[in-house]
Amino acid sequence: MSADSTTADADATREARGLPLVAVLLTLTVVSGLIDAVSYLGLGHVFTANMTGNVVVLGFAAAGAPGFSVPHTLTSLGSFVAGAAAGGRIAVHLGKGSRRTWARLTLAAEALLLGGSSVVASAAPDATATIYILIAVTAFAMGLRNATVRRLGVPDLTTTVLTMTLTGLAADSRAGGGPGTHSPRRTASVVAMLAGAALGAWLVLHHGLGIPLLVTALVVGALAVTASGRE
């Protein structure tokens, strides 16, 4: 066996160590539900993970609907786009190397951002600036993650958007004229988002914003040290 072959085998073994990306992305989908529960229920009816909903919310706010804020929504959209741009830059530099290293570094950055958000929410819950800081930081983190997930290209797992997932489930069913094949990933993604939103809502309603943000930081931090590069 050549030295090059031995090195390739060692790299493949190292890349496969840890939690498969499918499990990682499903867990991140739970986190997305938590984040949107925090932002929508605790930060003035704005989304920081789901930008499709945010564009609609911006329309509501622009029309003067009560309970919605144009500045809050624009802050979220702008921060998300900035995070996605940063994620794209990171992908250019790391995307051709180890998937495991790339995923872990991005997850570590997300965990740090969410952990910082938890500290701010706990230390100054009533400060005017806190809402804008939490919106900006969590939206940036979600943009960074979404750019990474997009480049990783794991089928049926976007971690934040379920519209096409639900469309695929319905269109590919026998009722939709499809082959009737089952998609465990799609179904699991929907369940994960629902579970995260329910848990996040309960935590926000009973414990404020700091605790659910801390939970997200700890979960993503755990993923940052356990994710592998395999699906």
Side-chain angles (χ1 to χ4, degrees):
M1 183 179 292
S2 68
D4 289 343
S5 177
T6 301
T7 300
D9 288 343
D11 289 343
T13 300
R14 188 182 308 110
E15 191 76 0
R17 290 174 184 162
L19 200 62
L21 286 176
V22 169
V24 170
L25 297 183
L26 283 173
T27 305
L28 289 176
T29 304
V30 176
V31 171
S32 294
L34 274 157
I35 293 294
D36 270 338
V38 167
S39 62
Y40 194 82
L41 297 177
L43 300 176
H45 292 172
V46 62
F47 293 104
T48 58
N50 178 6
M51 291 301 115
T52 304
N54 240 12
V55 172
V56 175
V57 166
L58 181 60
F60 294 162
F68 300 97
S69 167
V70 170
H72 288 176
T73 312
L74 288 177
T75 298
S76 181
L77 285 166
S79 299
F80 184 92
V81 170
R89 286 282 186 177
I90 292 171
V92 169
H93 292 289
L94 299 179
K96 294 181 180 179
S98 165
R99 279 180 115 197
R100 186 179 78 152
T101 299
W102 175 24
R104 288 189 175 192
L105 287 175
T106 307
L107 288 168
E110 180 180 335
L112 288 173
L113 290 167
L114 296 176
S117 297
S118 175
V119 171
V120 171
S122 299
D126 300 320
T128 302
T130 295
I131 290 180
Y132 283 98
I133 292 171
L134 295 183
I135 290 172
V137 175
T138 57
F140 185 94
M142 292 300 100
L144 177 67
R145 184 221 288 177
N146 271 263
T148 304
V149 170
R150 178 175 177 270
R151 294 291 184 93
L152 286 172
V154 179
D156 295 324
L157 290 174
T158 66
T159 77
T160 57
V161 181
L162 294 182
T163 303
M164 292 307 297
T165 302
L166 290 169
T167 300
L169 281 171
D172 291 343
S173 68
R174 294 193 184 279
T181 55
H182 298 289
S183 178
R185 288 186 186 183
R186 290 173 179 170
T187 303
S189 184
V190 174
V191 173
M193 182 72 78
L194 178 61
L199 175 60
W202 186 86
L203 288 172
V204 169
L205 293 174
H206 293 88
H207 299 285
L209 303 182
I211 295 299
L213 286 170
L214 177 60
V215 170
T216 63
L218 292 174
V219 170
V220 177
L223 295 176
V225 298
T226 58
S228 72
R230 62 192 171 97
E231 293 184 22

